[in-house]
Amino acid sequence: MSTQPTDFSLPNLPLRTPLQAEPGRERGVYSWWLDTARCPTPEAAGLLQLPDVPRLVHASGGAELLYVGRARRNLHQRIVGQHLRRTRSSALRRTLLAVLLPSDPSWREGAALDGRGRVVLGEAPEQRLTEWMQEHLLLGWAVCATKDDVDALEQRWIAEHRPALNTDGTEHGAQLTELKQTFREGLPRRA
């Protein structure tokens, strides 16, 4: 199901649980939300190190914005192929690990660094993180006609709403970068 609101209003995007979402193969901008109907606060979900920034509440009242990203080529590939599978290629997954770590040190189990210094997980930890996302997050997206439209909409949504888990384009990005560095410290290298 693709969603294309006429005004690209972030608070009004239809939201789905991640594994039930069916993003199309168009380009677009997506948003990840804390499902407050199932988990009323970030702390209850284990997100203890979120930056102290106001979070946009979805029009439904059942979700708070956490992250905005872009798919310059293919929403399905970006969301399903990366964010729901591979920590190595997902800034969202790496940031989630960093903010989940203080509540549960076991998030580091099975983590290592690849040759480029990116966090990678084994199969079981990847599955655990995907299951956590399925249980606690909701997903929405808007289809865009061009790559320039994608870039402009992503920048607009980040500037207007300052999502708590976005590093680039936010004043709290340095705090998140520090948390991610703390997560990486002492991890073994994988070939």
Side-chain angles (χ1 to χ4, degrees):
M1 171 187 174
S2 63
T3 303
Q4 191 168 7
T6 56
D7 65 353
F8 292 104
S9 173
L10 183 56
N12 294 308
L13 287 181
L15 300 180
R16 305 276 187 272
T17 57
L19 296 179
Q20 293 175 342
E22 297 178 12
R25 304 207 183 267
E26 306 92 350
R27 61 179 56 97
V29 180
Y30 52 87
S31 56
W32 290 90
W33 302 74
L34 178 65
D35 183 352
T36 55
R38 289 192 282 175
C39 197
T41 67
E43 296 78 18
L47 299 170
L48 297 184
Q49 293 291 324
L50 284 182
D52 187 21
V53 295
R55 280 182 299 283
L56 174 68
V57 175
H58 190 267
S60 69
E64 293 180 358
L65 180 65
L66 292 177
Y67 184 84
V68 168
R70 68 181 179 198
R72 296 183 88 215
R73 292 188 182 107
N74 183 317
L75 283 160
H76 184 271
Q77 179 182 18
R78 183 72 178 128
I79 293 166
V80 177
Q82 293 178 349
H83 287 315
L84 291 175
R85 289 205 178 116
R86 291 193 261 320
T87 299
R88 172 183 294 163
S89 59
S90 171
L92 170 64
R93 287 175 76 91
R94 293 189 302 272
T95 305
L96 280 170
L97 287 170
V99 298
L100 285 164
L101 181 66
S103 68
D104 183 354
S106 72
W107 284 107
R108 286 185 60 138
E109 292 173 11
L113 299 176
D114 70 5
R116 293 175 52 191
R118 295 176 300 186
V119 173
V120 293
L121 299 177
E123 188 176 327
E126 288 281 24
Q127 183 61 34
R128 178 184 178 204
L129 183 55
T130 299
E131 288 170 2
W132 183 93
M133 292 171 74
Q134 175 68 14
E135 183 178 339
H136 296 94
L137 301 183
L138 296 170
L139 174 66
W141 65 90
V143 172
C144 297
T146 69
K147 290 179 183 179
D148 289 342
D149 292 341
V150 169
D151 294 344
L153 184 58
E154 180 201 34
Q155 290 170 5
R156 184 177 121 205
W157 281 356
I158 290 172
E160 286 177 7
H161 304 294
R162 303 176 322 176
L165 295 180
N166 277 81
T167 303
D168 295 336
T170 63
E171 58 277 356
H172 56 270
Q175 179 185 352
L176 292 170
T177 299
E178 186 177 314
L179 289 170
K180 288 194 273 190
Q181 182 59 36
T182 298
F183 185 91
R184 295 174 67 239
E185 288 174 1
L187 291 180
R189 291 260 179 192
R190 270 194 204 154

